[in-house]
Every structure is written in structure tokens, then in C-alpha cells.
Amino acid sequence: MMNQNLKDKVAVVTGSTRGIGKAIALELAQAGAKIVVTGTNEAKLKSSLEEIQATGTEAIAIKCNVADFNEAKMLIEESVKAFGRIDILVNNAGITRDNLIVRLTEEDWDSVIEVNLKGVFNCTKAVTRTMMKQRYGKIINITSVVGVSGNGGQSNYSASKAGIIGFSKSLAKELATRNINVNCIAPGFIETDMTAELGNSEALLASIPLGRTGKSTEIAKAVGFLSSPDSDYITGQVLHVDGGMVM
Ligand code: NAI
């Protein structure tokens, strides 16, 4: 039997129909939390919901494009209507549109900022009042090591991820007196659909001190910790889960 340290807690995980988000939703479900699964793909929402319900916890699925302010507002309102509270918000939804700056289009820039950075604002803004009233909340934002280190060919993505860090630290200060903790997790190279086409070359592996890529479940474990009372004294931090890639 797993540690049920999130029993009776309610968690919303954005972009939880595949990859890291789905692993996070499963991890929190196994720790006893009630889960709101969200994403943009209807068919995947249904299959993810079934997988999460199979852990024995209560869960619902809500379609939501996080880049849309009103859809994010609806997501939070519907979640509160279903479960009465929200204890944990994991802002995980994210996209890449990689290119060198000379080839990077305005559309590549706007779409990445809108989903990755404005999406975090939209969902966080929507949940803040609920968490303030509860005087309890854990907000965990998935950034990236490249938000700290930068990466050629990913200026739009790195800017969005660095933006998330500044946003999170500011909110950690703003919301601390309301007992709301705001932290980031910065994954390194995790094997998911997002990174599938990049392959894992020897050069890549050589840049990772632990000598291997990471798994979605390894990010999920860190989110589990930052969602639980074990991390009550941690706020405003960026926890790297990257095999030592950026230090
Ligand atoms: P993925 O592409 O496999 O999954 C992304 C999820 O976000 C999908 O469920 C997708 O449907 C959802 N999503 C995309 N746009 C959305 C929107 N507008 N509204 C709602 N949901 C949307 O990617 P992966 O690898 O699981 O990444 C998850 C998070 O981790 C992202 O924020 C990514 O930037 C971050 N990350 C991933 C790394 C990796 O190596 N895979 C490394 C560092 C950070």
C-alpha cells in the first residue's frame, strides 16, 4: 500500500493526457488525491481518466486549452463545483516550436508564450481566490533546465520557462501569508513524445552527469513531494530533476 499522504486533497494537473502530466496525475492519485484530468484532446482525456480512476481514487476530466483565459477560469470553477476545493495545482501543459532566431516566426514565439507562460498565469489566477479562502494551497509549475541555462534554437521556449520562474518566485512571496506554497520543477531531458524526435545521442548523454535520460515518473515523484505536507517549509524554489545536467 502506498503512502496515502494526499488523501482528501484535490489536484488539478494541466496537460495530463500524456507524458509527464499523466505520470504526475497517476502519482498524486496513488497518494490518495482526487484528480482533475485536463487537456485539449477529447479521446485522450477519456482514456487517461479511466487509467486514473483505476487507481481507486475519484477523478473527473475537463477539456481545457490553458492558453484561453476563460477556459482556464471554467476549468477551476468546474473543479471546485465537483470537489468543493482545490489543494494542488500543477501547471504542466507546455509546447515547443523550436527554431534558430533567424527562422523563428512570430507565430512560433506567440504560441509558445501563450501556452507555456500565459497558460500558467491563466490557471494560477483562476485558482488563487479559492486557495486564499482555504488558507491552503500548493502550486507547482513545470519549467525546464533551459529556463535557467538557455539553449540555442529554443529562445522562445527558454523565455517562456524563465518567465515561469520569475512568476513563481513573485507569487511565492505574495501568497506566503495565506499558506500557499509556490515552487517550480525544472526537468532535464525526460523521455516523452515531446523529446522523442530529438533522439538521445552520445553527446546528449555526455552532458548529463548521471549518464542517462530521465523518466516521467521521476518528475512525478518530485511533484508528489512538493504537493505533500512534507514540503510545507519549501516555497519559491526551483527543484532541478535533471541527472545533474544544470547546476
Ligand atoms: P508532451 O508533449 O508529451 O505533453 C504535453 C501535454 O500538454 C499534453 O498532454 C498536451 O496535450 C498538453 N497541452 C499542450 N498544449 C496545451 C494547451 N494549450 N492546453 C492544455 N494542454 C495542452 O510533453 P512532456 O514532455 O510531457 O512535457 C510536459 C511539461 O514538461 C511541459 O511543460 C514541458 O515543457 C516540460 N518539460 C519537458 C521536458 C522533457 O524532456 N520532456 C524537459 C523540461 C520540461
Side-chain angles (χ1 to χ4, degrees), residues 21-65:
K22 189 167 163 183
I24 292 169
L26 280 167
E27 175 70 26
L28 302 184
Q30 277 154 2
K34 297 170 187 165
I35 305 292
V36 180
V37 190
T38 83
T40 48
N41 181 320
E42 205 102 44
K44 281 207 181 132
L45 263 180
K46 194 165 172 289
S47 60
S48 300
L49 177 65
E50 285 166 0
E51 240 179 278
I52 287 155
Q53 285 170 331
T55 66
T57 196
E58 277 180 69
I60 57 168
I62 301 174
K63 192 170 176 229
C64 174
N65 169 10

Side-chain angles (χ1 to χ4, degrees), residues 15 17-18 20 64-66 92 143 157 161 188 190 192 194-195:
T17 55
R18 68 178 207 189
I20 293 172
C64 174
N65 169 10
V66 295
N92 163 81
T143 175
Y157 182 78
K161 294 300 189 180
I190 311 301
T192 66
M194 181 181 270
T195 50

Side-chain angles (χ1 to χ4, degrees), residues 21-215:
K22 189 167 163 183
I24 292 169
L26 280 167
E27 175 70 26
L28 302 184
Q30 277 154 2
K34 297 170 187 165
I35 305 292
V36 180
V37 190
T38 83
T40 48
N41 181 320
E42 205 102 44
K44 281 207 181 132
L45 263 180
K46 194 165 172 289
S47 60
S48 300
L49 177 65
E50 285 166 0
E51 240 179 278
I52 287 155
Q53 285 170 331
T55 66
T57 196
E58 277 180 69
I60 57 168
I62 301 174
K63 192 170 176 229
C64 174
N65 169 10
V66 295
D68 184 307
F69 186 80
N70 289 316
E71 280 190 33
K73 195 161 166 266
M74 286 290 292
L75 165 69
I76 299 301
E77 284 173 5
E78 298 276 309
S79 304
V80 173
K81 211 186 283 170
F83 292 127
R85 55 186 294 122
I86 298 177
D87 302 284
I88 302 156
L89 169 67
V90 185
N91 283 305
N92 163 81
I95 59 168
T96 52
R97 293 286 180 273
D98 297 350
N99 229 325
L100 299 172
I101 189 72
V102 291
R103 286 196 218 109
L104 195 74
T105 65
E106 185 184 8
E107 211 279 318
D108 292 332
W109 175 268
D110 288 345
S111 57
V112 166
I113 298 294
E114 265 162 35
V115 175
N116 296 9
L117 184 55
K118 191 170 177 221
V120 173
F121 162 73
N122 288 344
C123 296
T124 306
K125 163 95 183 156
V127 85
T128 306
R129 215 174 279 278
T130 301
M131 287 185 172
M132 284 169 77
K133 269 198 242 149
Q134 293 168 177
R135 295 200 162 260
Y136 186 87
K138 302 271 195 183
I139 300 174
I140 297 132
N141 297 325
I142 308 301
T143 175
S144 166
V145 287
V146 306
V148 177
S149 66
N151 192 25
Q154 287 198 307
S155 57
N156 53 349
Y157 182 78
S158 303
S160 74
K161 294 300 189 180
I164 289 174
I165 295 173
F167 177 74
S168 304
K169 289 182 177 178
S170 301
L171 281 191
K173 291 185 174 176
E174 223 175 285
L175 301 175
T177 57
R178 305 300 183 109
N179 198 32
I180 300 170
N181 301 45
V182 187
N183 291 291
C184 292
I185 289 181
F189 194 101
I190 311 301
E191 287 192 41
T192 66
D193 292 325
M194 181 181 270
T195 50
E197 61 207 51
L198 304 174
N200 58 38
S201 62
E202 260 173 54
L204 169 76
L205 295 178
S207 72
I208 306 170
L210 287 179
R212 65 171 178 86
T213 56
K215 297 189 281 283

